[in-house]
Coordinates of all heavy atoms in Angstrom, one line a residue:
V215 N -13.2 5.3 -22.6 CA -12.1 4.6 -21.8 C -10.8 5.4 -22.0 O -10.1 5.6 -21.1 CB -12.1 3.2 -22.4 CG1 -10.8 2.5 -21.8 CG2 -13.3 2.3 -21.9
L216 N -10.5 5.9 -23.3 CA -9.2 6.4 -23.5 C -9.2 7.9 -22.7 O -8.2 8.3 -22.3 CB -9.1 6.7 -25.1 CG -8.8 5.5 -25.8 CD1 -8.8 5.9 -27.4 CD2 -7.4 4.9 -25.5
I217 N -10.3 8.5 -22.7 CA -10.3 9.9 -22.0 C -10.1 9.6 -20.5 O -9.4 10.3 -19.9 CB -11.7 10.5 -22.2 CG1 -11.8 11.1 -23.7 CG2 -11.9 11.7 -21.3 CD1 -13.2 11.6 -24.1
D218 N -10.7 8.5 -20.0 CA -10.5 8.2 -18.7 C -8.9 7.9 -18.2 O -8.4 8.3 -17.2 CB -11.4 7.0 -18.1 CG -12.7 7.5 -18.0 OD1 -13.1 8.6 -18.0 OD2 -13.5 6.6 -18.1
R219 N -8.4 7.1 -19.3 CA -7.0 6.8 -19.1 C -6.1 8.1 -19.2 O -5.1 8.1 -18.4 CB -6.7 5.7 -20.2 CG -5.2 5.2 -20.2 CD -5.0 4.4 -18.9 NE -3.6 4.0 -18.9 CZ -3.0 3.3 -17.9 NH1 -3.8 3.2 -16.8 NH2 -1.9 2.8 -17.9
I220 N -6.4 8.9 -20.1 CA -5.5 10.2 -20.3 C -5.7 10.9 -18.9 O -4.7 11.6 -18.4 CB -6.1 11.0 -21.5 CG1 -5.7 10.2 -22.8 CG2 -5.6 12.4 -21.6 CD1 -6.3 10.8 -24.0
D221 N -6.9 11.0 -18.5 CA -7.1 11.9 -17.2 C -6.3 11.3 -16.1 O -5.6 12.0 -15.2 CB -8.6 11.8 -16.7 CG -9.4 12.7 -17.7 OD1 -9.0 13.6 -18.3 OD2 -10.7 12.5 -17.6
F222 N -6.3 9.9 -16.0 CA -5.6 9.2 -14.8 C -4.0 9.5 -15.1 O -3.3 9.7 -14.3 CB -5.8 7.7 -15.1 CG -4.9 6.9 -14.2 CD1 -4.9 6.8 -12.8 CD2 -3.8 6.1 -14.8 CE1 -4.1 6.0 -12.0 CE2 -2.9 5.4 -13.9 CZ -3.1 5.3 -12.6
L223 N -3.5 9.3 -16.4 CA -2.2 9.5 -16.6 C -1.7 11.0 -16.5 O -0.6 11.3 -15.9 CB -1.7 9.1 -18.0 CG -1.9 7.7 -18.4 CD1 -1.6 7.5 -19.9 CD2 -0.9 6.9 -17.6
E224 N -2.6 12.0 -16.8 CA -2.2 13.3 -16.4 C -2.1 13.7 -14.8 O -1.3 14.4 -14.4 CB -3.3 14.3 -17.1 CG -3.2 14.4 -18.6 CD -4.2 15.3 -19.3 OE1 -5.2 15.6 -18.5 OE2 -4.1 15.7 -20.4
A225 N -3.0 12.9 -14.2 CA -3.2 13.2 -12.7 C -1.8 12.6 -12.2 O -1.1 13.1 -11.2 CB -4.3 12.4 -12.1

Side-chain angles (χ1 to χ4, degrees):
V215 170
L216 289 174
I217 291 173
D218 290 342
R219 182 64 177 172
I220 290 170
D221 289 342
F222 169 76
L223 292 175
E224 287 180 343

